[in-house]
Amino acid sequence: MKIIDKYLLKSFLITFATVFVILFFIFVLQSIWLFIAELAGKDLDFMTILKFISFYSPIMVPLVLPLSILLASIMTFGSFAENYEFAAMKSGGISLERAMRYLIVCTVLFSGIAFLFANSIIPEAQFRFINLRKTIVQTKPAMAIGEGQFSKIGTTTSIYVEKKSGENGSFLEGVTMHMKKGEFGSVTTVIKAKKGVLKSDESTNLLQLDLFDGNYYEDIQPKKFEERDKLPFAKSSFKKYTVTIDLAKLNANANEGNDLINTYNMLNMSELKYTIDSLQTTFNKDVTAYSDNLDKSAESLAMVYNVPVSSSVVVPKTTKLTGDLVDLFPTDKKTLVLDVAKNNINNTIFTLDGYKTDLEFKQNNINDHWIGYYDKILIAYSCLLMFFIGAPLGAIIRKGGLGLPIVFAVLIFITFNFANTFGKKLAGQDALHPFIGTAAGALILTPFAILFTYRATNDMGLTIDLDWLIVPIKKLLTKRNTNSLPSENITTNES
């Protein structure tokens, strides 16, 4: 390695390390807001919070690493071009392609690290992250319920606690519970108690809440419509009332709105491939089973009405059918045949709707696993892609520092992430192939990486010559305008 290579590598790595640390810190702080409701006011010790953040932080690496490489390459090469260091290199016979050689090797190493991170470290970190949250709720059940605020339990229950005390905040004061009928229904049951005690058992997934000295209110729905305006309700008092809470519902609420934590993200590539094969085999068996069930249901429905499905009416081959098929049956059987056909069709449509919903859900689950599989490869490729966009772009724009490079880096990265997010959503809904949906951002930006690299290595700048396209169009328009001019009558005077 020559001195110039060491200088280039050192400049790039210093810039990359600085940018990576800053961006990683910003992304981690931003992600903490997703779980601020779980951390704030829950009496967690410092080590637990540190574990909570450290297990979640690896998820940020696939986002921060490509952006850091992009920004560092633009800043480094832009600074070299701005200070005429590249001009000095070129005068010494060192081309841009030669200057990028060891940096490309360094970026390949970063890509390998990113792949190992995505395939090994991130699945393990997410698994521990989920288990940590479950353990916290089991050992400190009061964490699931905030003080002075309504905390959701599943989709139908909310609980409010005025004050928590005792070890792990298990003793509650001023407890109010609201229960709804259905996710979108209104509150029909209210429970108010002066005191409450939370109890949990690490061997089970249930949380027990004992309420003391309270009242139970429940709305009553009268059968007569005119009595509903009176809003009748039932009230009862209790000395002790026990409510059982499923911890899985609490964890589901915590995961709500967080797409980064999914089951398939906790698996490496070999585990994902095995899971996908199993899911696909089950899917194919379900399709065959559903088809057989439809045939059997059609036969059973026809047999109920004593109308055999096959050979109900024997029609000679020479007979030409000109009217309705119902006319082939005896008059006393026509109504029965129509009823059988109608019921069969309605039953088939209803069954098909159920099968369609079930198969769509299973296919989307398979697609999500494929997205997780391809995403690990895309993380490694995105590091190389961002370097081959940033390095030539920095040499072309000839600007270093934190001004223009940040603008270009943010625009490119937003385009990349937006295309990936949109593509993954479509792929998850089976509207795109999972590979195309996962690699949507890479497919869009790869031509730009090739273009920038070609123009930068050939000192062509960012201006693109479109004369080959514009000149023929101008000639065609000029010719048409000339032909459309009115001809003048020229008179000659003979002397």
Side-chain angles (χ1 to χ4, degrees):
M1 184 184 294
K2 296 182 179 180
I3 296 177
I4 188 65
D5 295 322
K6 293 181 180 179
Y7 174 68
L8 290 169
L9 193 59
K10 179 181 178 182
S11 301
F12 175 77
L13 289 178
I14 291 176
T15 306
F16 168 78
T18 305
V19 171
F20 181 84
V21 170
I22 294 173
L23 291 179
F24 187 77
F25 182 72
I26 293 173
F27 273 73
V28 169
L29 285 180
Q30 181 270 337
S31 64
I32 290 176
W33 287 104
L34 297 174
F35 305 100
I36 194 66
E38 293 187 48
L39 300 175
K42 300 296 176 67
D43 299 328
L44 298 177
D45 57 272
F46 177 76
M47 288 303 299
T48 303
I49 296 176
L50 188 62
K51 286 182 179 180
F52 195 93
I53 297 174
S54 61
F55 288 156
Y56 185 78
S57 297
I59 304 174
M60 297 293 103
V61 173
L63 294 174
V64 177
L65 189 58
L67 180 58
S68 300
I69 292 176
L70 174 64
L71 188 55
S73 57
I74 294 178
M75 291 174 63
T76 302
F77 282 77
S79 179
F80 287 157
E82 185 180 15
N83 296 325
Y84 299 100
E85 292 179 88
F86 273 139
M89 294 180 195
K90 291 176 183 178
S91 64
I94 300 176
S95 64
L96 178 63
E97 182 180 356
R98 170 64 183 80
M100 294 170 59
R101 183 180 301 173
Y102 282 95
L103 296 182
I104 292 174
V105 175
C106 181
T107 307
V108 171
L109 292 176
F110 283 144
S111 298
I113 293 173
F115 175 76
L116 292 176
F117 228 88
N119 192 45
S120 301
I121 298 177
I122 292 179
E124 180 67 21
Q126 289 204 353
F127 178 75
R128 295 192 178 189
F129 179 75
I130 294 298
N131 284 338
L132 176 64
R133 297 169 75 184
K134 181 179 178 181
T135 302
I136 290 174
V137 173
Q138 286 179 330
T139 57
K140 297 184 178 182
M143 175 192 168
I145 301 173
E147 185 178 287
Q149 62 183 15
F150 273 98
S151 302
K152 291 186 66 177
I153 301 175
T155 58
T156 59
T157 306
S158 299
I159 183 170
Y160 176 87
V161 175
E162 293 182 359
K163 186 179 179 181
K164 297 189 298 184
S165 60
E167 184 179 1
N168 296 330
S170 298
F171 296 100
L172 313 179
E173 296 181 13
V175 181
T176 302
M177 295 186 68
H178 290 173
M179 300 180 183
K180 299 187 296 184
K181 284 188 176 180
E183 182 178 358
F184 303 103
S186 59
V187 176
T188 57
T189 303
V190 177
I191 303 174
K192 295 179 69 68
K194 294 181 179 179
K195 295 181 180 180
V197 178
L198 281 169
K199 300 178 182 179
S200 64
D201 187 354
E202 295 185 12
S203 61
T204 65
N205 203 38
L206 298 176
L207 183 66
Q208 180 178 320
L209 173 59
D210 292 332
L211 300 176
F212 302 95
D213 297 330
N215 296 298
Y216 184 98
Y217 305 89
E218 183 176 6
D219 291 339
I220 298 176
Q221 187 74 12
K223 294 182 179 180
K224 295 182 179 180
F225 183 79
E226 56 272 11
E227 295 181 359
R228 296 180 182 179
D229 292 337
K230 299 179 181 178
L231 302 177
F233 68 93
K235 176 185 177 181
S236 61
S237 59
F238 57 83
K239 290 294 182 180
K240 181 180 179 181
Y241 184 82
T242 301
V243 179
T244 302
I245 301 173
D246 188 358
L247 293 177
K249 294 182 178 180
L250 292 173
N251 291 330
N253 289 333
N255 289 337
E256 187 176 353
N258 184 17
D259 295 333
L260 293 176
I261 299 178
N262 294 290
T263 304
Y264 53 85
N265 286 336
M266 302 180 193
L267 306 176
N268 57 35
M269 291 186 70
S270 60
E271 293 170 342
L272 280 170
K273 195 68 174 66
Y274 178 81
T275 305
I276 290 170
D277 291 340
S278 300
L279 292 175
Q280 190 65 55
T281 301
T282 304
F283 180 85
N284 295 336
K285 289 181 179 179
D286 288 342
V287 172
T288 304
Y290 291 162
S291 177
D292 294 340
N293 290 339
L294 284 175
D295 294 338
K296 292 179 181 178
S297 63
E299 294 177 6
S300 61
L301 183 62
M303 298 304 292
V304 166
Y305 286 91
N306 198 23
V307 179
V309 176
S310 59
S311 303
S312 296
V313 177
V314 179
V315 181
K317 294 182 179 180
T318 56
T319 304
K320 186 176 182 181
L321 300 177
T322 57
D324 294 333
L325 291 177
V326 182
D327 296 335
L328 298 175
F329 292 88
T331 305
D332 58 340
K333 289 284 187 178
K334 288 183 180 180
T335 303
L336 182 61
V337 169
L338 290 174
D339 289 339
V340 171
K342 182 180 178 181
N343 291 329
N344 198 359
I345 291 173
N346 291 334
N347 183 62
T348 302
I349 291 174
F350 180 79
T351 305
L352 284 175
D353 288 338
Y355 289 166
K356 180 182 177 182
T357 302
D358 183 56
L359 292 177
E360 283 180 350
F361 175 79
K362 293 180 178 179
Q363 183 61 55
N364 292 345
N365 188 31
I366 295 174
N367 292 338
D368 288 338
H369 282 75
W370 274 119
I371 290 171
Y373 183 87
Y374 291 129
D375 202 31
K376 300 181 189 303
I377 304 173
L378 178 68
I379 290 171
Y381 177 73
S382 63
C383 295
L384 285 171
L385 176 64
M386 293 303 166
F387 176 79
F388 281 103
I389 291 177
L393 186 60
I396 291 172
I397 63 175
R398 299 180 180 181
K399 287 290 183 181
L402 296 174
L404 194 59
I406 288 184
V407 175
F408 277 102
V410 169
L411 290 176
I412 293 170
F413 197 71
I414 286 176
T415 303
F416 180 74
N417 267 332
F418 177 80
N420 282 345
T421 303
F422 190 70
K424 289 176 183 178
K425 289 291 184 182
L426 292 178
Q429 298 170 1
D430 206 28
L432 280 178
H433 189 276
F435 176 78
I436 296 176
T438 306
L443 294 175
I444 293 173
L445 292 182
T446 297
F448 289 97
I450 298 173
L451 176 65
F452 291 158
T453 304
Y454 174 78
R455 298 189 72 83
T457 53
N458 290 277
D459 294 327
M460 299 176 66
L462 200 58
T463 305
I464 301 177
D465 185 13
L466 295 177
D467 288 344
W468 60 273
L469 178 63
I470 296 175
V471 172
I473 296 176
K474 284 185 177 180
K475 289 181 178 180
L476 180 62
L477 293 176
T478 303
K479 186 176 179 181
R480 290 187 61 184
N481 291 334
T482 302
N483 293 334
S484 63
L485 291 175
S487 59
E488 297 180 357
N489 293 327
I490 303 175
T491 58
T492 58
N493 297 324
E494 297 182 357
S495 57

